[in-house]
Amino acid sequence: MASDNKLKRSAGTIIVVSAPSGAGKTTLIERLRATMKALAFSVSYTTRRRRPGERNGREYYFVSPEVFRRMVRRGAFAEWAKVHTDLYGTPLRQLRAAQQTGRDILLDIDVQGYRRLKRRFPEAAGVFIVPPSFRELERRLKARRQDRLDSIRQRLEDARQEVAAWKEYDYLVINDDLERARAALQAIVIAIRHRPLALREQMQNIIKNFGG
Ligand code: ADP
Ligand code: 5GP
């Protein structure tokens, strides 16, 4: 924490949310953003195909593998990874912009991305969302009717590995009842905003006021 003392303004916190595919992360993040408007959201780059209803620049920036690789070479990503079958990357530019304006920024990235980001930004906070059971995860993936059966199988296979990372995160949300899980996620974001690191600028003024 001491190394951050030279920063004048409290930088916004990087909040990573990860989950096995189908756990309900997108649903929970949408609900959270509807109530916490000041949260910035990192829009990743991906080589995967756009799904019906998705808009370029809103859910993702959809790019070709060539463009993606060029961005990797330029150092444009804070982290990038192959997830399931495609490439995904977090643009450094958005993180810097949020940090400079003191806004908290939410990142919807996978476990590998979280590990890499945490090495680069140790102050980032991590929230892991899990479904109440493997069967329920399978049920949700099928009920979503978004992915082909082979893709669902791959996601379930990957989920077995991903859940093992639960202890690496700062917070856990078991997404059983949706409203309860949303409230828990909101409480977590509020708690993150009350970390000493997030309030250091205000505290410096208060301490000065105490004659410190
Ligand atoms: P993810 O972004 O983690 O892949 P989604 O948010 O797309 O997952 O959710 C997967 C499916 O499960 C969606 O059809 C969603 O409506 C449903 N879902 C999400 N949370 C719950 C919950 N708590 N109970 C039942 N269904 C849920
Ligand atoms: P989907 O294709 O279903 O939108 O996302 C698949 C997975 O990729 C999700 O687990 C999501 O969190 C992850 N993901 C999305 N963007 C990024 C990113 O920029 N970096 C990493 N490492 N993972 C990402």
Side-chain angles (χ1 to χ4, degrees):
M1 226 178 278
S3 63
D4 290 304
N5 283 347
K6 52 184 176 304
L7 285 177
K8 281 200 193 76
R9 170 206 291 275
S10 299
T13 306
I14 295 173
I15 304 173
V16 173
V17 183
S18 307
S21 180
K25 184 179 48 172
T26 307
T27 310
L28 283 168
I29 290 177
E30 261 171 30
R31 290 185 175 211
L32 180 76
R33 292 180 71 200
T35 52
M36 303 189 96
K37 308 260 191 224
L39 267 182
F41 183 74
S42 164
V43 180
S44 294
Y45 282 74
T46 184
T47 59
R48 91 148 155 72
R49 280 223 201 126
R50 188 148 47 101
R51 295 180 185 137
E54 286 183 331
R55 205 185 315 145
N56 190 41
R58 189 177 61 187
E59 285 81 9
Y60 288 102
Y61 292 102
F62 297 93
V63 293
S64 64
E66 292 71 36
V67 169
F68 194 96
R69 285 199 200 97
R70 212 177 305 138
M71 291 181 73
V72 170
R73 284 199 296 273
R74 273 209 335 257
F77 294 127
E79 65 73 37
W80 66 275
K82 185 174 179 197
V83 188
H84 308 309
T85 50
D86 289 285
L87 303 175
Y88 295 81
T90 304
L92 200 50
R93 174 176 44 83
Q94 289 175 27
L95 292 190
R96 296 267 185 244
Q99 288 197 308
Q100 276 162 17
T101 53
R103 281 181 89 189
D104 300 324
I105 184 163
L106 210 69
L107 271 65
D108 170 347
I109 64 175
D110 84 324
V111 171
Q112 314 167 67
Y114 172 60
R115 289 182 181 137
R116 287 171 192 162
L117 207 88
K118 194 81 175 170
R119 253 178 262 138
R120 195 161 177 174
F121 301 97
E123 71 283 8
V127 187
F128 196 56
I129 297 169
V130 287
S133 68
F134 185 80
R135 272 188 83 164
E136 173 61 11
L137 184 67
E138 187 173 14
R139 191 200 65 75
R140 286 182 193 171
L141 278 171
K142 287 181 176 160
R144 188 167 67 176
R145 298 178 168 278
Q146 196 174 70
D147 307 287
R148 296 207 325 250
L149 209 58
D150 56 342
S151 168
I152 289 180
R153 267 195 219 112
Q154 164 102 50
R155 281 160 196 259
L156 286 169
E157 195 62 35
D158 292 346
R160 293 191 197 275
Q161 315 263 320
E162 288 161 349
V163 290
W166 67 279
K167 282 187 188 159
E168 296 174 40
Y169 285 76
D170 303 301
Y171 300 93
L172 273 177
V173 175
I174 299 169
N175 181 18
D176 191 346
D177 176 75
L178 190 56
E179 177 45 32
R180 205 171 45 210
R182 186 210 59 78
L185 187 57
Q186 182 166 346
I188 288 166
V189 172
I190 293 170
I192 290 168
R193 287 179 171 169
H194 288 267
R195 297 199 305 193
L197 193 64
L199 289 173
R200 67 181 165 241
E201 204 200 339
Q202 289 95 316
M203 273 314 289
Q204 273 161 9
N205 289 333
I206 292 170
I207 294 297
K208 238 185 257 159
N209 179 261
F210 272 69

